[in-house]
Amino acid sequence: MNGAQDMGGQMGFGPVAPEENEPLFHGAWEKRALAITLAMGATGSWTIDRSRFMRESMPPAAYLSKSYYDIWATGLERLLIDTGLASAEEILTGHALTPPAPVKRVLKAADVPAVLARGGPCDRPATAPARFAVGDRVMTRIMHPKTHTRLPRYARGKPGRIEAVHGTFVLPDTNAHHQGEGPAWLYGIVFDGRDLWGPDGDPLLTVRIDLFEPYLEPAPLEPTP
């Protein structure tokens, strides 16, 4: 999924200008957008990866014109329509037009601190041995799926070296589309900046990205001198 959220290495969007002493929220509605999104996620009606997909698959013009929590709110609206928990007309009018659909769970206010503290661990037992080990050279796949992926565009078809083997975790690519968790090995991979950006790249720059095993292939053997 080559969406507007995948901006790594792109030019023409102006400088990155962090807001000095930026508050957690710029308005009460942002607090509410976060709270409602978390509360609805706790119902078990979708996975966190499905939630990300609904935000990141917005049309680029819409995505780039919205603020952070506006994107969250719009993603939640899309999820509600996708799961049949609300209709587009109900969201537009702000009123229920049919009886509410049941949900698996309801997050009570008193349970919020414990639920947030527990989090949502996504590590899983390994179902197969790791294909790669620390020190192995790998090549990322060239892939442009219309669905979900966490392999950024700028790092596709690039050589790198395994620096860490993290274990097995839920694969977002399948978990976002009701295809199961598909646990996969996750690796920390170091890339040379010039391999990513070409000869214009900083020769002293290295970039580390955590990537799943399905994104990787063994690097071609280097020619013998």
Side-chain angles (χ1 to χ4, degrees):
M1 180 182 60
N2 296 333
Q5 87 293 341
D6 190 359
M7 298 180 68
Q10 294 195 68
M11 301 177 181
F13 290 92
V16 176
E19 181 179 346
E20 187 175 356
N21 300 318
E22 182 179 8
L24 292 176
F25 303 100
H26 290 82
W29 73 269
E30 292 188 340
K31 293 182 182 181
R32 188 168 180 82
L34 173 61
I36 294 175
T37 299
L38 294 178
M40 287 305 304
T43 66
S45 301
W46 48 74
T47 66
I48 188 172
D49 296 306
R50 185 69 177 172
S51 181
R52 289 194 182 109
F53 173 74
M54 284 299 188
R55 293 195 291 269
E56 296 177 354
S57 61
M58 291 169 52
Y63 186 95
L64 295 174
S65 66
K66 294 179 180 294
S67 65
Y68 182 78
Y69 282 110
D70 194 0
I71 292 172
W72 275 51
T74 302
L76 179 57
E77 291 175 355
R78 299 184 71 196
L79 287 163
L80 294 172
I81 295 171
D82 180 64
T83 55
L85 292 176
S87 67
E89 186 179 2
E90 287 175 318
I91 291 175
L92 181 63
T93 61
H95 298 285
L97 303 176
T98 59
V103 294
K104 298 177 184 178
R105 298 182 295 271
V106 174
L107 179 59
K108 303 292 186 180
D111 298 329
V112 168
V115 169
L116 293 183
R118 186 166 63 247
C122 58
D123 54 319
R124 298 291 185 269
T127 58
R131 188 180 181 188
F132 304 105
V134 171
D136 286 354
R137 289 189 58 78
V138 294
M139 181 74 72
T140 55
R141 295 177 58 196
I142 297 176
M143 51 190 289
H144 298 279
K146 295 181 180 179
T147 52
H148 194 83
T149 184
R150 307 314 293 177
L151 175 58
R153 276 174 292 181
Y154 72 85
R156 297 176 191 171
K158 306 295 184 180
R161 178 177 53 82
I162 304 290
E163 187 179 70
V165 180
H166 297 305
T168 51
F169 294 81
V170 174
L171 181 65
D173 305 49
T174 58
N175 200 41
H177 301 287
H178 314 297
Q179 297 172 3
E181 293 188 339
W185 285 91
L186 182 67
Y187 304 91
I189 303 177
V190 175
F191 297 88
D192 186 292
R194 290 166 298 182
D195 287 331
L196 294 178
W197 315 118
D200 293 330
D202 183 345
L204 301 180
L205 174 69
T206 58
V207 177
R208 174 170 165 163
I209 311 175
D210 288 340
L211 297 174
F212 288 96
E213 191 170 275
Y215 304 160
L216 308 173
E217 296 290 348
L221 293 176
E222 297 180 348
T224 302

